[in-house]
Amino acid sequence: MEKTWRWFGTKDDITLDMLKQIGVEGIVTSLHDVECGEIWTSEMIDTCNQHIISNGLKWSVVESLPVHDAIKYAGKERDFLIENYKISLANLGKCGIKTVCYNFMPVIDWVRTDLNKEMSDGTGTLFFNKLCLAYFDVKILKRKNACLEYSDKELKKVEYLDKTISEEEKTELIDSIIVKTQKFISRGIVGANQNPVEAFNTQLHYFDGIGKEDLRQNLKYFLEKILPTAEKYGIKMCIHPDDPPFPVFGLPRIVCNQDDIEWILNSVKSSSNGLTFCAGSLSAGLHNDVVEMAQKFVSKTYFVHLRSTHVYENGDFEEASHLSGRANLIEVIRIFEKENPNLPMRVDHGRLMLDDKDKNYNPGYSLLGRMFALAQVEGMMAVVKNEITNKLYE
Ligand code: DNO
């Protein structure tokens, strides 16, 4: 696999020449300053591409070309937005950038409740705590009928937490769930001077009455329109699994398990209709067997995210070391190296450690934690490649 790295553009404190020193071969990035729904012009793409090339690297993957929510809820402006999307795709194709990651999660991309859970070794990790999520939903958002989605036991715990939580902790929770984790992804949910909770509630209402089947049909509609353009330019579209792989805040999610992915890949038959195999996102659902899924979707995977999670019995989860946890990355790497060896791969969500603690990097995207993970992944890849070369499988 090609060793790539998510880089957040020229404003990223982690620069391209730093990345070359740690063995990165390809760049994964987006035009982070362009508003979601607007056209990516050839000039903008070319400027970013030339910057990467002049640093001796290549732009391997776009992550993401974001899909506007109005396409997801089938708003009246969706056809206009889809046309814009097609123009952006064509412009990327003309500039030679041919792998595009996107997601179809309504309103909120990845969800975590704590961005720096302290581990016993002193590192910090991303954490998803179901109780904190329920608390946020029921007591902070005060979402109508939210109570129906939690058990009596969970609601009792929410009431108890309500008596003990401080105002500071509440602000931190809001910041973690809807501000910090979202703000570097297509410029976030919350605009300048907006109250985060109000902004989030407004966005949620666009999806009132939209269930799983509706969202699937809206994805199919989108794919039917954009895939011919992708095919024409040889672009591989790779949908990113939902993170976490289950519904949140009453919103439907449609990329959570094997059936969902099969449904999407079969909904529109096209060589451009593919998957981002995010081992970490999939591993956070106890219903998913990540290795089995890697085997199943290896030929339709066009981009790989390597990370792993540790899932507690009650469903809480945290990022595990890349060498442990539910994702079984050794086996996943073995499958991809054997059967689809040239895919771009990036490590995801490293631990917060050492000098990075005060650096203010995007959550999950520190330098040293990811560098450490990349070294672990490189080691696994080297062993697997050795097995393949020496035919240790036969
Ligand atoms: C978070 C990421 C996601 C991912 C997008 C892809 O760390 O895995 O933000 O990039 O969902 O569209």
Side-chain angles (χ1 to χ4, degrees):
M1 285 182 280
E2 181 195 16
K3 289 176 281 171
T4 67
W5 182 278
R6 191 176 197 182
W7 173 71
F8 295 101
T10 45
K11 290 181 197 143
D12 195 332
D13 290 335
I14 303 169
T15 59
L16 295 176
D17 48 285
M18 286 159 84
L19 297 183
K20 275 206 307 201
Q21 291 186 39
I22 61 174
V24 168
E25 296 160 338
I27 294 303
V28 174
T29 196
S30 179
L31 297 185
H32 289 279
D33 288 331
V34 182
E35 201 75 55
C36 180
E38 278 176 17
I39 291 172
W40 288 19
T41 65
S42 300
E43 292 71 32
M44 294 168 179
I45 297 167
D46 194 51
T47 305
C48 180
N49 197 22
Q50 290 311 325
H51 178 78
I52 294 170
I53 292 171
S54 67
N55 278 276
L57 288 160
K58 64 180 275 227
W59 187 351
S60 301
V61 181
V62 174
E63 179 175 357
S64 299
L65 180 55
V67 179
H68 197 282
D69 265 2
I71 296 176
K72 299 176 187 170
Y73 62 77
K76 57 181 182 336
E77 61 278 53
R78 83 163 151 176
D79 286 330
F80 168 77
L81 290 163
I82 290 176
E83 283 313 305
N84 281 0
Y85 201 96
K86 283 162 62 179
I87 298 171
S88 301
L89 276 184
N91 290 341
L92 282 165
K94 286 178 207 155
C95 290
I97 295 135
K98 310 244 174 176
T99 306
V100 175
C101 170
Y102 70 104
N103 74 69
F104 220 72
M105 289 176 259
V107 187
I108 186 158
D109 193 297
W110 62 312
V111 184
R112 296 293 185 278
T113 55
D114 185 348
L115 306 181
N116 193 9
K117 180 184 172 194
E118 211 178 303
M119 305 300 281
S120 57
D121 60 6
T123 60
T125 198
L126 303 165
F127 185 47
F128 179 94
N129 178 301
K130 283 181 77 185
L131 173 62
C132 290
L133 193 86
Y135 181 83
F136 173 81
D137 199 4
V138 175
K139 294 290 181 188
I140 297 180
L141 279 185
K142 302 188 173 57
R143 190 170 59 84
K144 200 175 152 209
N145 294 335
C147 291
L148 303 178
E149 280 159 42
Y150 304 101
S151 66
D152 288 349
K153 206 169 151 195
E154 283 171 320
L155 291 172
K156 254 188 207 147
K157 287 188 184 163
V158 164
E159 289 306 327
Y160 182 75
L161 181 58
D162 198 37
K163 293 195 180 92
T164 49
I165 192 167
S166 67
E167 285 309 310
E168 219 177 28
E169 285 167 332
K170 281 189 206 172
T171 309
E172 183 78 35
L173 191 58
I174 296 169
D175 219 29
S176 300
I177 300 178
I178 51 179
V179 184
K180 285 194 189 130
T181 41
Q182 311 302 310
K183 75 164 192 252
F184 63 93
I185 302 163
S186 62
R187 303 172 89 192
I189 300 174
V190 186
N193 306 322
Q194 271 185 316
N195 171 300
V197 174
E198 277 169 24
F200 188 56
N201 263 322
T202 308
Q203 305 285 326
L204 286 181
H205 285 307
Y206 286 111
F207 286 86
D208 284 348
I210 296 192
K212 178 167 180 170
E213 198 44 43
D214 304 302
L215 191 62
R216 275 186 165 174
Q217 290 311 321
N218 296 344
L219 171 61
K220 188 172 179 207
Y221 182 93
F222 168 72
L223 288 175
E224 273 165 350
K225 302 255 169 182
I226 62 130
L227 287 176
T229 307
E231 276 173 26
K232 179 171 169 198
Y233 291 96
I235 292 176
K236 306 281 189 204
M237 296 297 300
C238 345
I239 194 161
H240 188 285
D242 301 332
D243 181 5
F246 42 81
V248 284
F249 306 124
L251 293 164
R253 286 194 153 196
I254 56 169
V255 202
C256 295
N257 55 46
Q258 189 160 314
D259 286 351
D260 284 350
I261 296 171
E262 268 184 302
W263 189 94
I264 293 163
L265 298 176
N266 290 328
S267 68
V268 186
K269 297 271 187 204
S270 160
S271 56
S272 290
N273 186 10
L275 176 69
T276 296
F277 193 89
C278 179
S281 301
L282 295 170
S283 73
L286 289 171
H287 53 275
N288 286 329
D289 180 330
V290 183
V291 173
E292 193 183 301
M293 292 173 90
Q295 192 61 66
K296 172 110 197 150
F297 298 118
V298 60
S299 63
K300 289 297 274 179
T301 294
Y302 301 140
F303 181 32
V304 182
H305 283 182
L306 291 180
R307 68 180 172 90
S308 185
T309 59
H310 171 70
V311 184
Y312 292 85
E313 247 170 59
N314 69 348
D316 291 353
F317 66 87
E318 67 206 12
E319 312 284 335
S321 144
H322 285 62
L323 289 170
S324 67
R326 289 197 81 247
N328 194 351
L329 293 185
I330 297 180
E331 210 47 56
V332 169
I333 290 172
R334 209 170 254 142
I335 291 168
F336 284 113
E337 285 294 349
K338 265 169 80 182
E339 295 180 38
N340 202 349
N342 299 319
L343 294 176
M345 167 285 296
R346 73 169 177 85
V347 296
D348 208 5
H349 303 178
R351 288 274 165 88
L352 194 58
M353 65 203 311
L354 306 168
D355 275 2
D356 276 355
K357 291 200 164 189
D358 315 311
K359 291 268 167 64
N360 218 14
Y361 290 132
N362 290 330
Y365 290 92
S366 61
L367 172 65
L368 298 173
R370 278 191 292 165
M371 179 172 119
F372 187 68
L374 179 61
Q376 291 175 320
V377 164
E378 259 190 304
M380 291 187 257
M381 278 167 52
V383 171
V384 166
K385 281 184 186 156
N386 179 60
E387 289 170 354
I388 294 170
T389 316
N390 294 312
K391 300 199 173 21
L392 298 183
Y393 293 112
E394 276 124 59

